[in-house]
Amino acid sequence: MYVQPIYTPTRSQLMSGRYQIYTGLQHEIINTPQPHCLPVSLPTLPEKLKQAGYSTHMVGKWHLGFYKKDCLPTRRGFDSYFGYLSGSENYYTHTRSGSMAGFSPGKEWNALDLRDGEKKATNYSGKYSTHVFTERVQEVIEQHDLSKPMFLYLAFQAVHSPLQVPKRYMDPYNKTIKHKTRKTFAGMVSCMDEGIGNITQTLHDTGMWNNTVIVFSTDNGGPINVGANNWPLRGEKHSVWEGGVRGVGFVTGPVLSDDVRGTVNKEMIHVSDWFPTLVTGVAGMDLTGTKLDGFNVWDAIASKDTLSPRKEILHDIDPFYGRTIFTNESGIPCTDYNTSMHAAIRYGDWKLITGDPGFDRGCGWKPAPDSGINPPSIPVKPLNDTIWLFNITADPNEYNDLSKKHPEVVEELVSKLKAYQKTAVPVVWPAGDLKANPKLGDGAWGPWA
């Protein structure tokens, strides 16, 4: 169940069903002062579900740009929105700081990042965000008109940094987890788990549960230095190793048959697949004529005997990876692909990585703190060797580089990356805009253009 190495690209593919090479979001994330967002010309998942008769609601993290009002969730298909527009907010004050760092030295602002619809939400200081978002979702469910179907997108802040959680959620781990950061992270997971349980109970209480599908997904691999752990997979967030892109997820609900619930599905699924899966597979809407990179994988989920139509995943091609290169609003046209570029592709059992994979070229396996596990020791490739090939089905932990043994497979997958790059749109990553300063607006992070 694959996602992207970082959050903006994953969310963009969930909302648009398109690979990030077709949205200009190949490089990094959208930072708060950048005049950039998910292209408004693209149809979104909630827009399509609205056309199918659904009411649409979002709670939580947006992080797809907000420099102009047309980029906001309420302008991209959601009937209602409550949440924050960027990332890394304080869980209690709901403020975001340091936003111009790296764009204009010395220009760092601290401001509220919480909105109810398009208005700033000021009455939540001191309230833990996981509780706040859970309660808002429960309200949306309780107020829903049962004569209409509903799509509800909840993007919890947990378990992103900064690591913060009420002490009572950490206490159960006092005897089993000694590492403070890891213990805090575990407490945040438990609080989120409690919230999901409360939401599920509300669905039962309102009579909606019997006709509900729940999809749960991470947005990227865990960042090891802030409590997460991807062991035994290699790598972490920001990398195209499996630890950065192989996600945690499940699908549940009484609409699934008894012989499917509780089973492990090993079919190939990517975050871009949720767009056609939910719109066509669940809602029954025809998407003929809509350009998508995602596949409708509902039959592969709902039946143990159906194979996924997906055989290939483009993890990314980022020609600017590891560099700070600002573009104008039109972006920088993509140059031809070469194997020094940060890129990765999965095709059947094979996975090819080129350029800088991110995280660690050598010993990229990190057991949980205090686990007593010793990671494997594998020789580091020289810097001028930028190609890795794995049989990812047989070797999901990426121990054995087969690029020298199977040059014919490398050649085939490189040709696929070249073909993708020829169709890519320009990379868009503009410099920060001083007009983004929240003090020039309503005092909270929000549109300025």
Side-chain angles (χ1 to χ4, degrees):
M1 212 288 292
Y2 285 96
V3 291
Q4 296 306 111
I6 46 177
Y7 27 98
T8 293
T10 292
R11 294 159 199 271
S12 73
Q13 297 194 43
L14 171 68
M15 286 291 109
S16 70
R18 301 302 317 268
Y19 286 144
Q20 62 206 72
I21 63 167
Y22 301 126
T23 61
L25 293 167
Q26 298 96 313
H27 186 62
E28 292 290 338
I29 62 172
I30 299 176
N31 290 285
T32 42
Q34 287 183 289
H36 185 28
C37 70
L38 180 70
V40 296
S41 59
L42 291 175
T44 66
L45 171 58
E47 286 173 343
K48 289 297 183 182
L49 288 171
K50 276 176 71 83
Q51 293 173 19
Y54 281 66
S55 63
T56 58
H57 306 275
M58 178 180 173
V59 174
K61 180 177 182 176
W62 176 240
H63 216 159
L64 289 175
F66 58 86
Y67 79 102
K68 58 184 180 181
K69 287 187 176 180
D70 285 347
C71 301
L72 296 175
T74 45
R75 310 292 177 101
R76 303 309 305 271
F78 287 104
D79 295 326
S80 74
Y81 171 69
F82 178 85
Y84 61 112
L85 298 173
S86 185
S88 300
E89 282 71 11
N90 183 289
Y91 279 72
Y92 292 96
T93 64
H94 313 293
T95 56
R96 172 75 157 85
S97 62
S99 300
M100 279 299 287
F103 294 90
S104 180
K107 298 291 184 182
E108 297 187 5
W109 306 312
N110 184 65
L112 180 71
D113 186 5
L114 190 65
R115 290 191 176 265
D116 193 343
E118 297 183 7
K119 296 181 179 179
K120 65 180 181 180
T122 58
N123 299 323
Y124 297 91
S125 181
K127 297 178 180 179
Y128 188 64
S129 78
T130 302
H131 295 156
V132 171
F133 294 155
T134 296
E135 290 166 6
R136 175 53 66 97
V137 168
Q138 290 176 291
E139 290 175 10
V140 170
I141 294 170
E142 290 167 347
Q143 295 170 9
H144 176 62
D145 179 359
L146 295 180
S147 66
K148 291 186 66 176
M150 176 176 68
F151 170 62
L152 199 155
Y153 171 39
L154 167 60
F156 273 119
Q157 182 174 0
V159 290
H160 198 284
S161 61
L163 301 189
Q164 298 171 310
V165 70
K167 182 176 178 295
R168 69 179 184 273
Y169 294 101
M170 295 172 58
D171 288 344
Y173 300 102
N174 285 338
K175 292 183 179 180
T176 55
I177 302 177
K178 302 302 180 185
H179 194 274
K180 183 178 179 181
T181 302
R182 185 74 174 155
K183 184 191 300 184
T184 306
F185 188 93
M188 295 169 73
V189 173
S190 290
C191 184
M192 179 180 67
D193 188 54
E194 175 189 82
I196 295 171
N198 291 342
I199 291 166
T200 304
Q201 185 59 52
T202 303
L203 289 169
H204 280 282
D205 294 343
T206 56
M208 294 175 64
W209 174 251
N210 290 334
N211 194 25
T212 291
V213 176
I214 290 179
V215 177
F216 179 93
S217 174
T218 184
D219 62 348
N220 46 246
I224 294 172
N225 64 328
V226 281
N229 191 257
N230 307 304
W231 177 264
L233 299 179
R234 185 177 189 174
E236 63 168 326
K237 179 179 179 177
H238 288 284
S239 79
V240 289
W241 301 117
E242 291 292 281
V245 297
R246 193 165 181 160
V248 174
F250 66 80
V251 180
T252 191
V255 297
L256 294 173
S257 61
D258 290 341
D259 66 329
V260 171
R261 277 183 284 166
T263 62
V264 176
N265 188 318
K266 295 187 177 182
E267 291 300 303
M268 193 185 298
I269 296 173
H270 181 251
V271 63
S272 63
D273 296 334
W274 294 121
F275 188 121
T277 298
L278 295 176
V279 174
T280 299
V282 177
M285 183 179 181
D286 185 4
L287 285 172
T288 301
T290 303
K291 288 186 177 180
L292 295 171
D293 299 299
F295 291 83
N296 174 9
V297 295
W298 181 248
D299 287 345
I301 292 171
S303 169
K304 290 196 297 183
D305 301 320
T306 303
L307 301 179
S308 170
R310 176 177 286 281
K311 307 303 177 188
E312 178 175 309
I313 297 172
L314 176 65
H315 291 302
D316 193 21
I317 305 174
D318 181 359
F320 302 146
Y321 187 86
R323 294 181 286 166
T324 300
I325 297 179
F326 295 122
T327 74
N328 58 29
E329 290 186 7
S330 299
I332 296 178
C334 294
T335 56
D336 288 343
Y337 167 80
N338 65 74
T339 55
S340 70
M341 286 184 184
H342 169 86
I345 187 170
R346 168 82 184 267
Y347 180 64
D349 295 330
W350 295 105
K351 177 182 178 182
L352 179 77
I353 298 174
T354 68
D356 182 353
F359 184 51
D360 192 335
R361 291 170 57 90
C363 187
W365 300 270
K366 301 291 184 182
D370 305 321
S371 67
I373 298 173
N374 293 318
S377 178
I378 293 178
V380 180
K381 296 180 73 161
L383 290 175
N384 63 353
D385 188 345
T386 59
I387 297 175
W388 291 260
L389 178 70
F390 302 98
N391 182 324
I392 213 67
T393 304
D395 180 25
N397 300 331
E398 296 169 300
Y399 292 137
N400 304 303
D401 176 14
L402 303 175
S403 59
K404 300 295 189 291
K405 290 184 177 180
H406 293 282
E408 76 286 356
V409 178
V410 171
E411 183 179 1
E412 180 183 8
L413 297 187
V414 165
S415 69
K416 287 180 175 290
L417 289 172
K418 286 181 178 179
Y420 273 120
Q421 184 69 347
K422 286 186 181 298
T423 65
V425 303
V427 179
V428 181
W429 209 69
D433 187 344
L434 290 172
K435 294 191 291 291
N437 186 344
K439 292 181 181 178
L440 302 178
D442 63 5
W445 290 108
W448 68 87

